[in-house]
Each structure stands twice: as C-alpha cells, then as structure tokens.
C-alpha cells in the first residue's frame, strides 16, 4: 500500500508549532520588536535629593488612536487624539503614556 506520509496530522501540527515558537524566540533574543511598536524617546525626571535630574530614555510603544480602549504596557500619543472612549488599564497591570512634543489627548472621565 502506498502512503504519502506516515506521520499523523497531530504530529505535523506539533512540528510546525515548534518551528514557529523557535523562530519567535530567536527573533526576541535578537532584539526584534513587534511591527505595531515604535521606538519613542522621552525625558524621565527624578529628584536626587537636591535637584531635578533629567534622563533621556527610549521605549517601545504602541500608538494610542481614537479607538484605543484597553491598554497595558507602553503607549504614545502623537498629534491630537480625541478619544470618546474611557481608556482602561488591565487589572493588576501598569500603563505608561508618553505625550510627544505638542501632543494633546482628550478622553472620557
């Protein structure tokens, strides 16, 4: 009897999934970032006990749009965003929003 492939379908799926996971892991280890993220510079200010210290940093951020509702992680606003929705931070999560120079963000209370 002739068979095209002796491996069952579930084994083929497992091999493909393992390959995808390996590629994604390698990309993350090499510093790849999601296609939807942008590198955004910001100035962090802190107090050293006697003066304000400014440090320029960079974060990988997702843009906030007029349709953004749920956030977790780093986001940025570029230009003027009038979001008629309430923006919610996931339970137990942290959210950082960077307003780029000259940007404004208006959201519902």
């Amino acid at each position: 009897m002739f068979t095209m492939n002796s491996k069952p379908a579930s084994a083929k799926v497992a091999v493909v999934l393992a390959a995808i996971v390996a590629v994604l892991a390698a990309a993350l280890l090499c510093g790849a970032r999601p296609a939807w993220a942008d590198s955004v510079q910001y100035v962090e200010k802190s107090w050293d006990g006697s003066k304000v210290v400014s440090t320029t940093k960079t974060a990988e951020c997702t843009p906030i749009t007029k349709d953004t509702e749920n956030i977790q992680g780093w986001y940025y606003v570029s230009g003027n965003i009038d979001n008629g929705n309430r923006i919610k931070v996931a339970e137990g999560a942290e959210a950082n929003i960077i307003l780029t120079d000259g940007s404004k963000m208006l959201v519902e209370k």
Side-chain angles (χ1 to χ4, degrees):
M1 173 178 256
F2 176 75
T3 60
M4 288 184 64
N5 197 333
S6 61
K7 284 187 180 181
S10 61
K12 293 176 194 175
V13 170
V15 169
V16 169
L17 288 176
I20 291 170
V21 168
V23 168
L24 290 174
L28 290 173
L29 289 173
C30 293
R33 61 187 173 91
W36 63 87
D38 296 315
S39 291
V40 177
Q41 282 194 333
Y42 66 99
V43 177
E44 180 179 270
K45 301 207 180 232
S46 60
W47 182 255
D48 74 356
S50 62
K51 66 182 182 305
V52 175
V53 177
S54 297
T55 307
T56 300
K57 296 186 172 188
T58 302
E60 298 300 316
C61 302
T62 303
I64 287 183
T65 68
K66 64 179 182 64
D67 301 317
T68 301
E69 291 184 1
N70 298 300
I71 63 174
Q72 177 176 330
W74 285 85
Y75 289 79
Y76 74 96
V77 173
S78 181
N80 296 327
I81 298 294
D82 186 356
N83 185 324
N85 303 311
R86 173 174 269 173
I87 295 179
K88 299 173 192 156
V89 177
E91 176 94 21
E94 210 175 86
N96 301 284
I97 300 174
I98 298 170
L99 293 172
T100 60
D101 290 341
S103 295
K104 293 180 184 176
M105 182 172 86
L106 179 64
V107 295
E108 181 184 312
K109 290 184 187 180

